[in-house]
Amino acid sequence: MKKVIVFFAFLLFSNTLIAQCAMCKAVVEGGNETMAEGVNDGITYLMIFPYILVALLFYAIYKYRKKTKTEES
């Protein structure tokens, strides 16, 4: 029940939250299109590494489970 209340609280207050740093906001609002594209590229660059790490983790788990399953047979 507590999780549901927290979920709805986040939903209600999400419009008032600002999830952008001051530098990113200033660059994007400045109107410099090439700078805004650079910010977007940087965000993409930083975002891809956690996905790669999670994919490698799942691959390692898959290989480990496959190896232990064949050893049990």
Side-chain angles (χ1 to χ4, degrees):
M1 184 67 183
K2 192 174 186 179
K3 290 180 183 180
V4 174
I5 293 171
V6 170
F7 174 75
F8 281 113
F10 277 124
L11 227 100
L12 289 173
F13 297 113
S14 65
N15 290 339
T16 60
L17 298 177
I18 300 171
Q20 216 175 28
C21 70
M23 289 294 292
C24 297
K25 187 175 181 180
V27 167
V28 173
E29 286 179 349
N32 188 347
E33 190 172 322
T34 57
M35 192 69 120
E37 287 176 6
V39 170
N40 285 338
D41 291 342
I43 290 169
T44 303
Y45 177 75
L46 291 172
M47 187 180 72
I48 199 163
F49 288 106
Y51 287 107
I52 291 171
L53 290 175
V54 169
L56 289 173
L57 176 70
F58 280 120
Y59 180 72
I61 291 171
Y62 169 76
K63 292 294 275 187
Y64 175 77
R65 291 187 67 162
K66 188 176 178 181
K67 181 180 175 184
T68 57
K69 197 177 277 190
T70 58
E71 289 177 358
E72 289 177 1
S73 299

